[in-house]
Amino acid sequence: MVTPPLPPAKASADDLLDWYDRHRRALPWRALPGTTPDPYRVWMSEIMLQQTTVRAVKPYFEKFLTLFPTVSDLADAPTDAVMTAWAGLGYYSRARNLHACAKAVVERHGGVFPADESALRALPGIGEYTAAAIASIAFGLPAVVVDGNVERVIARVHAVEEPLPGAKPLIKRLTAAIAPAERPGDFAQAMMDLGATICTPKSPACGLCPWREPCTGRREGTADTFPRKTPKREGVPRRGAAFVALREDGAILLGTREPKGLLGGMAEVPGTVWSSDHDATGVDHGAPLPAAWKRSLGTVTHVFTHFPLELDVHVARIPAGTDAPAGLRWVATTALGGEALPSVMRKVVEHGLAALGVDARQR
DNA sequence: CACGCGTGGCC
DNA sequence: TGGCCAAGCGT
């Protein structure tokens, strides 16, 4: 007589927490087992980790904690200091909201983060995910934390056929059904660690997974095909020109972008608008000041989330003593590290200075 | 709800 | 190498 096959085991929080206790990673913002987490550090890390890898976040987290040890220090800091410290990390609205949130915590809550999911949710830059993450990790509240990792893990465990983002409500219910009453913060972090290290987007290490037995995707050999996603449209390429003006004393001309929108509030090299109309870019039309502009060889390319950008870089040497046009300023090339220059603009400066024959060691 | 919003690493 | 992806939020 043959024993009928048992129904698959249900994914259990205990199995996941056991795995977490054995593989917990030490991270700068993560409290040691048995110690109380610091909500300021938890919040700071959660904002920085939005759409950003742990590797990229680490040095910025350390820098911010050194520059702004408490939420009050951050609230009192000038905007320029916050934006400059954030430069290079991307998604700059996070930095503006970080600053606004620090001020709101001081004004609304006396400088103490509220131990309440809806009060957290009402703060700038804190959405559904981040409010739940802070509530569970910093305060031990039973919030249901669903980020991209959790979506992937749950979609595989249950072989969810509905594509994202439509499947979000279903995935949240499935997550809530597994979540334990105890250790909600550790459970949330365990789910995210599992997604980041084992249940990865490509080539998941199913053999090492604490949920390899109950996982439907694993059993059917289709784990790596989840989660399903609705295809998104591709962006139309845009082009423009940028102007690197090098004065004899070694300064270049910079401006500041509009406070909102793409690269809002960040520093930039002056240039034309970026347009998808291929005829829109004149040769040196849009130069910030009259000079013997010369188009440099090649272009600077940069790919944003929603469109690729190609910039022609024009260069000119400017006589000493020339004043900056309205809205622009001269900045020594040796002082560019103190500017809130996004990566695309660092590429432009590098490209322009190389075309002008400035030695890399002088930059 | 679909879209706008950076950057760096991966194969 | 180019396309995909990473602990989302605001509008």
Side-chain angles (χ1 to χ4, degrees), chain A residues 8-363:
Chain A
K10 181 176 181 292
S12 91
D14 283 345
D15 288 342
L16 181 64
L17 286 167
D18 286 346
W19 172 85
Y20 182 67
D21 288 338
R22 282 181 282 115
H23 298 276
R24 181 196 302 252
R25 291 184 290 173
L27 296 172
W29 47 85
R30 187 170 277 179
L32 294 173
T35 67
T36 305
D38 176 358
Y40 177 60
R41 297 169 70 92
V42 172
W43 164 72
M44 180 75 71
S45 69
E46 289 300 337
I47 300 301
M48 289 184 169
L49 285 164
Q50 289 166 6
Q51 299 288 280
T52 308
T53 59
V54 167
R55 173 190 295 269
V57 163
K58 274 182 181 174
Y60 284 86
F61 179 83
E62 307 282 12
K63 185 201 302 187
F64 269 74
L65 264 292
T66 299
L67 291 174
F68 318 110
T70 70
V71 68
S72 298
D73 295 325
L74 181 57
D76 292 341
T79 301
D80 277 357
V82 178
M83 298 308 292
T84 298
W86 194 277
L89 194 54
Y91 283 133
Y92 298 98
S93 66
R94 291 186 298 173
R96 296 191 290 273
N97 285 330
L98 186 86
H99 200 197
C101 183
K103 292 178 177 177
V105 167
V106 168
E107 289 169 12
R108 297 181 205 168
H109 304 288
V112 179
F113 279 88
D116 176 89
E117 195 173 350
S118 59
L120 289 165
R121 178 68 181 81
L123 292 165
I126 297 184
E128 184 179 0
Y129 158 75
T130 304
I134 297 172
S136 66
I137 296 170
F139 298 114
L141 297 171
V144 181
V145 180
V146 180
D147 73 333
N149 287 306
V150 176
E151 286 174 352
R152 186 168 58 254
V153 170
I154 295 296
R156 288 171 175 175
V157 167
H158 293 279
V160 174
E161 288 293 344
E162 184 184 359
L164 289 171
K168 282 173 180 285
L170 169 61
I171 288 176
K172 183 153 188 174
R173 289 199 305 277
L174 293 169
T175 306
I178 301 175
E182 306 291 323
R183 302 180 64 188
D186 284 347
F187 177 76
Q189 291 175 93
M191 291 279 274
M192 294 188 280
D193 275 14
L194 187 68
T197 62
I198 303 288
C199 197
T200 50
K202 295 173 187 172
S203 309
C206 295
L208 301 176
C209 182
W211 281 348
R212 59 188 174 279
E213 292 301 329
C215 180
T216 301
R218 153 76 162 168
R219 186 170 58 254
E220 298 181 350
T222 57
D224 63 350
T225 68
F226 295 98
R228 311 287 194 234
K229 289 182 183 177
T230 52
K232 50 187 165 189
R233 293 183 5 222
E234 64 177 79
V236 178
R238 300 183 199 178
R239 298 178 55 189
F243 298 86
V244 176
L246 178 64
R247 204 168 57 175
E248 274 183 32
D249 61 355
I252 66 170
L253 210 48
L254 292 184
T256 302
R257 295 180 63 86
E258 293 299 310
K260 293 192 173 184
L262 180 65
L263 304 175
M266 302 298 288
E268 69 173 351
V269 171
T272 65
V273 295
W274 303 340
S275 169
S276 51
D277 177 354
H278 283 209
D279 299 326
T281 309
V283 183
D284 54 5
H285 184 70
L289 74 179
W293 289 102
K294 185 178 177 184
R295 190 194 181 297
S296 65
L297 232 49
T299 61
V300 166
T301 61
H302 190 79
V303 181
F304 292 100
T305 310
H306 50 299
F307 69 93
L309 175 66
E310 189 166 342
L311 287 176
D312 294 327
V313 179
H314 300 262
V315 297
R317 290 185 177 272
I318 308 296
T322 303
D323 290 328
L328 303 179
R329 60 186 186 277
W330 292 105
V331 176
T333 55
T334 53
L336 291 175
E339 288 290 325
L341 271 185
S343 293
V344 60
M345 288 300 156
R346 294 196 182 276
K347 288 186 201 173
V348 168
V349 171
E350 283 298 309
H351 188 96
L353 291 181
L356 285 161
V358 177
D359 191 293
R361 285 166 300 189
Q362 298 173 26
R363 298 173 207 162

